Amino acid sequence: MNIVHISKTPLAGSPGRLSDEINKQNEISSLAFIEKDYPGELSGKFIYNSVVLDCLSSWDLLKYSVKSADIIHIHNDVSTECLHLILNQNPTSKFVYHVHSPLREGPLFFEVYKTLGIDFYKKIVVGQYHPRHYSDFIPLLNIVPFKATSSVKNVDDKIRILFSPSHTRTGGRWNDKVSAELDRTLKLIAKDKRFEIITPSKISPSALFELRKTCNITIDEITTGSYHQISLEGLAAGNVVINNSDFFSNIFLETLSSSSEHVPFVRMNNKNVSRKLPELLSRPEEIYSMQKQSAKFYKKYLSPQKTANRLIDIYKGKL
């Protein structure tokens, strides 16, 4: 089975991670294309093994790949130029659409897939908060492309808390990552020498994951009622994961992972974080126990291979 993934931007690496993971299967040949990489300090950090369409040779490779593809997997959106190139090859492949973003917020302010002029064979949605927007799509979890930790960091020294929001914009419903109350709380905690707040600059996802393994706690965001890729990576790194993921977001994750346990997220919000986070930090033995629980849950239920197998079943029409 030949698969072509195509996206307008790297989408934080999600298409590339999926493509790389299913490529590990003997019967699958998968190649991901990105129209434009992120600019500036994020350039090159989220493309994985994807081909960036930045020269005539890469566009020629896209043409060749489309002609032999069994599945063309479109992520979020593609440009008119790219769509015309694909359709002009008269592909015999089936088309799959995969949405990664909420409705009525950038980059998708409407149901883009309805404007592409394609009769999609399957439609997929990221299995976090997104299924409540696209109730007739097949949910699929994101993949953590790094090897899970073999041992969690102890709490004998300083308790290390990592907070690395992908952006600091506010005013959205589902895309906000930061909040004034969390910022105030972290600044107060940072004054206590028993704790260390880690706020790295823009580094590669692999370097950030290695840094996360040296920490005890990962904070995702406590604003929207969901969780993001950071929470999954926090579990894989053996961290206590703090977010505000609500019942629906959690149940999507637990169902898709076939978990018989509740996901071990620690829920906080802007109204209680100034009280609950210091309370948690006062119990180091409990933190260490929760770290081990996170790592155990990830290894038992959230392996990348499980998500890759689900995606292949979608391609084969089993879902």
Side-chain angles (χ1 to χ4, degrees):
M1 185 184 291
N2 294 319
I3 315 297
V4 169
H5 294 260
I6 179 71
S7 60
K8 187 178 284 187
T9 70
L11 293 174
S14 183
R17 291 193 297 266
L18 287 170
S19 180
D20 286 353
E21 191 62 36
I22 62 174
N23 243 336
K24 296 175 183 178
Q25 305 286 333
N26 290 331
E27 75 276 15
I28 300 291
S29 177
S30 181
L31 187 58
F33 292 87
I34 299 167
E35 292 193 56
K36 288 185 179 180
D37 194 5
Y38 292 136
E41 60 187 358
L42 293 179
S43 177
K45 289 184 169 64
F46 291 95
I47 62 174
Y48 295 95
N49 291 313
S50 303
V51 176
V52 180
L53 297 172
D54 56 0
C55 64
L56 289 176
S57 295
S58 57
W59 283 97
D60 188 59
L61 177 59
L62 176 60
K63 287 182 183 179
Y64 179 84
S65 301
V66 163
K67 288 178 180 178
S68 60
D70 298 296
I71 299 287
I72 296 176
H73 189 147
I74 294 176
H75 297 262
N76 251 23
D77 194 12
V78 291
S79 68
T80 300
E81 177 188 11
C82 186
L83 181 62
H84 286 170
L85 181 145
I86 291 171
L87 297 180
N88 286 342
Q89 309 313 307
N90 297 313
T92 58
S93 52
K94 295 176 179 177
F95 283 84
V96 169
Y97 180 75
H98 193 154
V99 65
H100 297 254
S101 304
L103 278 173
R104 291 174 285 280
E105 279 184 76
L108 298 184
F109 293 95
F110 56 92
E111 294 173 313
V112 168
Y113 73 98
K114 293 182 178 179
T115 71
L116 298 177
I118 294 172
D119 182 17
F120 286 102
Y121 164 64
K122 297 288 183 179
K123 296 190 289 292
I124 300 172
V125 62
V126 171
Q128 295 168 7
Y129 61 85
H130 310 66
R132 64 189 93 191
H133 297 172
Y134 297 88
S135 58
D136 59 336
F137 283 35
I138 302 170
L140 185 76
L141 293 175
N142 276 334
I143 277 177
V144 175
F146 315 115
K147 186 175 181 180
T149 188
S150 57
S151 61
V152 304
K153 182 190 176 300
N154 62 43
V155 291
D156 296 338
D157 197 2
K158 289 185 177 182
I159 295 176
R160 286 166 56 91
I161 305 162
L162 193 148
F163 181 55
S164 178
S166 57
H167 64 81
T168 56
R169 300 184 301 273
T170 58
R173 170 61 184 92
W174 295 103
N175 283 332
D176 284 14
K177 309 286 186 180
V178 298
S179 62
E181 190 57 42
L182 176 59
D183 184 57
R184 283 192 292 269
T185 302
L186 291 177
K187 286 179 178 177
L188 287 172
I189 290 170
K191 295 179 180 180
D192 191 323
K193 294 184 178 181
R194 295 174 299 169
F195 313 121
E196 188 174 3
I197 310 298
I198 312 299
T199 54
S201 57
K202 302 298 182 183
I203 59 177
S204 70
S206 57
L208 182 58
F209 183 73
E210 291 303 317
L211 180 62
R212 200 179 300 280
K213 290 195 293 185
T214 72
C215 297
N216 306 95
I217 295 173
T218 280
I219 300 178
D220 186 340
E221 54 91 354
I222 59 170
T223 301
T224 68
S226 184
Y227 70 92
H228 307 273
Q229 179 75 15
I230 288 172
S231 286
L232 300 179
E233 294 184 9
L235 295 176
N239 286 187
V240 175
V241 174
I242 295 173
N243 57 38
N244 191 23
S245 187
D246 63 20
F247 170 82
F248 295 103
S249 295
N250 285 357
I251 204 70
F252 291 138
L253 188 154
E254 291 161 8
T255 300
L256 291 173
S257 63
S258 302
S259 169
S260 59
E261 308 168 43
H262 293 304
V263 58
F265 292 154
V266 177
R267 190 174 184 186
M268 296 184 191
N269 59 47
N270 287 313
K271 294 181 179 180
N272 62 28
V273 66
S274 62
R275 172 179 57 83
K276 293 188 72 172
L277 184 53
E279 285 178 357
L280 174 65
L281 293 175
S282 70
R283 303 191 297 271
E285 290 185 1
E286 184 175 340
I287 288 173
Y288 186 63
S289 176
M290 294 166 72
Q291 287 180 250
K292 292 190 287 185
Q293 186 181 4
S294 291
K296 181 180 178 182
F297 185 93
Y298 178 84
K299 291 175 182 178
K300 188 173 182 179
Y301 298 113
L302 293 173
S303 72
Q305 183 180 359
K306 181 178 288 189
T307 295
N309 289 340
R310 180 174 174 83
L311 179 55
I312 292 169
D313 282 345
I314 293 171
Y315 291 155
K316 292 181 176 180
K318 295 180 179 179
L319 293 174

